[in-house]
């Protein structure tokens, strides 16, 4: 049963947090996209096409990009990775991005971040065609989101909102605290949750926030997007709150063949005893980011055709 606006957050019969299964929700979104792509192509349209740009040798980025391309193909979206060595110049990369923006068969363009230090990510993103910016990072799309206009919404924030919606976690009138002010997650998520329909009261915290624990304890929904393993501890959580962990941190683990394991920004084991809902890492927000990218790519293809 959906929570009513005047209900306390954690219903009394929950002993520990409900685990929000991002993998399952993402699978549903991906199934829907696949079905929509099938209808779209059966109507005589070309397969949507996503170009992913990967620069340098960052193993985490390479792994994310492989996941994005595999998921695209699984949904019936054509996808290619354009891979460049870390020594590509900023000008060369600008030319690549501009050229993709003009190619009629390309619906979506994603530049995997981070880029090497000698390349200014802002300049590269500014060169994206906003109508193909499926990551929603171009200032035109950021501005549209901030002002409540239709554009492309960055994939991780829309994945977070989709998880809340799917878990029937009410945002209207609720206090949301986001830790992290990045252009990829914190800022756009704050804009999105303030939109009509979501109607949350949003606080964005960062490294200079005073009394961070106190602020977090006021949150009905706490979103951790700081990139520091286990930063959010149990004493920062209001009993019954929904805790959404956006962090994906690699920490050393010699018991694994890879020598590392992935962990979130939240001390999951301790926090799940206090929270009403929690997302695991891996298997929470991460799979949603990919699913929403597919949704945005299909949307880009449709918008460019109409
Ligand atoms: N690096 C980490 N997450 C993302 C993302 O969602 N998009 C891009 N472009 N780069 C990322």
């Amino acid at each position: 049963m959906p929570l009513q606006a005047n209900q306390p957050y954690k219903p009394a019969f929950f002993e520990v947090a409900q685990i929000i299964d991002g993998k399952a929700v993402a699978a549903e979104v991906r199934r829907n996209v696949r079905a929509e792509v099938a209808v779209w192509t059966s109507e005589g349209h070309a397969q949507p096409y996503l170009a992913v740009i990967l620069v340098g040798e960052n193993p985490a980025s390479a792994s994310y990009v492989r996941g994005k391309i595999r998921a695209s193909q699984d949904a019936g979206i054509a996808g290619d990775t354009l891979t460049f060595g870390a020594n590509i110049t900023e000008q060369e990369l600008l030319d690549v991005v501009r050229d993709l923006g003009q190619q009629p068969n390309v619906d979506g363009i994603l530049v995997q971040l981070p880029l090497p230090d000698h390349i200014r990510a802002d300049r590269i993103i500014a060169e994206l065609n906003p109508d193909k910016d499926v990551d929603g990072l171009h200032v035109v799309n950021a501005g549209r989101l901030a002002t409540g206009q239709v554009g492309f919404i960055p994939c991780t924030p829309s994945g977070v909102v989709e998880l809340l919606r799917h878990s029937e976690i009410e945002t209207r009138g609720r206090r949301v605290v986001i830790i992290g002010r990045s252009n990829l997650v914190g800022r756009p998520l704050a804009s999105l949750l303030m939109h009509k329909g979501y109607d949350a009261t949003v606080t964005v915290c960062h490294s200079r926030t005073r009394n961070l624990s106190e602020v977090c304890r006021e949150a009905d929904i706490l979103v951790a997007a700081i990139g520091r393993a286990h930063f959010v501890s149990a004493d920062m959580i209001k009993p019954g709150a929904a805790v959404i962990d956006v962090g994906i941190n690699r920490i050393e683990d010699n018991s694994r063949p890879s020598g590392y394991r992935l962990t979130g920004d939240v001390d999951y084991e301790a926090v799940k005893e206090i929270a009403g809902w929690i997302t695991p890492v891996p298997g929470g927000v991460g799979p949603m980011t990919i699913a929403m990218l597919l949704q945005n790519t299909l949307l880009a293809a449709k918008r460019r055709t109409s």
Side-chain angles (χ1 to χ4, degrees):
M1 189 183 70
L3 271 182
Q4 302 305 308
N6 58 356
Q7 252 181 302
Y9 235 53
K10 189 178 188 179
F13 49 86
F14 288 133
E15 299 267 301
V16 293
Q18 286 191 53
I19 295 161
I20 300 175
D21 185 349
K23 255 189 182 166
V25 182
E28 193 180 315
V29 173
R30 287 169 59 169
R31 268 196 305 278
N32 290 341
V33 172
R34 192 189 310 141
E36 276 187 58
V37 168
V39 171
W40 178 248
T41 51
S42 76
E43 290 169 351
H45 299 287
Q47 254 186 312
Y49 180 93
L50 172 68
V52 180
I53 295 174
L54 176 62
V55 181
E57 312 285 326
N58 183 329
S61 289
S63 160
Y64 294 148
V65 166
R66 276 195 302 277
K68 289 172 184 180
I69 293 293
R70 211 180 304 130
S72 300
Q73 289 168 347
D74 181 55
I77 292 170
D80 275 325
T81 309
L82 287 75
T83 307
F84 301 96
N87 59 352
I88 187 172
T89 66
E90 186 177 271
Q91 189 57 52
E92 285 168 334
L93 195 57
L94 284 171
D95 292 342
V96 169
V97 169
R98 190 178 315 117
D99 182 52
L100 288 169
Q102 290 165 356
Q103 284 183 27
N105 65 314
V106 174
D107 295 300
I109 309 167
L110 182 148
V111 180
Q112 185 67 28
L113 301 174
L115 291 170
D117 288 344
H118 68 279
I119 298 177
R120 287 166 289 184
D122 286 359
R123 284 208 61 197
I124 302 299
I125 290 165
E127 204 63 40
L128 285 166
N129 178 339
D131 297 333
K132 300 184 179 186
D133 170 31
V134 286
D135 242 351
L137 295 179
H138 192 284
V139 286
V140 164
N141 285 313
R144 286 172 179 156
L145 180 62
T147 53
Q149 298 174 58
V150 174
F152 287 103
I153 300 169
C155 307
T156 302
S158 56
V160 168
V161 166
E162 186 64 24
L163 284 180
L164 295 174
R165 206 184 56 76
H166 198 274
S167 307
E168 297 182 331
I169 295 170
E170 177 68 84
T171 56
R172 223 175 305 169
R174 297 289 186 181
R175 182 82 187 267
V176 179
V177 174
I178 300 168
I179 319 176
R181 54 178 159 180
S182 70
N183 291 340
L184 212 49
V185 184
R187 285 170 206 264
L189 180 59
S191 290
L192 187 55
L193 285 168
M194 284 189 286
H195 277 195
K196 278 224 174 318
Y198 298 121
D199 299 312
T201 301
V202 183
T203 302
V204 180
C205 299
H206 46 77
S207 54
R208 305 230 179 249
T209 299
R210 291 200 192 153
N211 305 327
L212 179 66
S213 294
E214 224 168 88
V215 177
C216 290
R217 271 196 304 274
E218 290 178 11
D220 300 308
I221 299 168
L222 179 67
V223 181
I226 22 179
R228 286 174 60 180
H230 298 174
F231 180 85
V232 174
S233 50
D235 63 321
M236 296 164 79
I237 308 299
K238 173 160 93 177
V243 179
I244 309 294
D245 191 350
V246 178
I248 304 178
N249 307 290
R250 285 186 174 204
I251 61 168
E252 202 178 302
D253 184 346
N254 291 325
S255 70
R256 303 282 176 99
S258 60
Y260 72 87
R261 71 187 154 87
L262 297 179
T263 190
D265 290 351
V266 173
D267 181 357
Y268 181 85
E269 290 304 324
V271 167
K272 78 174 181 357
E273 303 294 325
I274 311 278
W277 294 263
I278 192 166
T279 60
V281 176
V285 175
M288 293 304 294
T289 298
I290 295 186
M292 304 322 276
L293 170 68
L294 306 182
Q295 206 172 69
N296 274 355
T297 305
L298 173 59
L299 199 60
K302 289 187 171 180
R303 285 182 182 162
R304 278 171 21 84
T305 308
S306 60

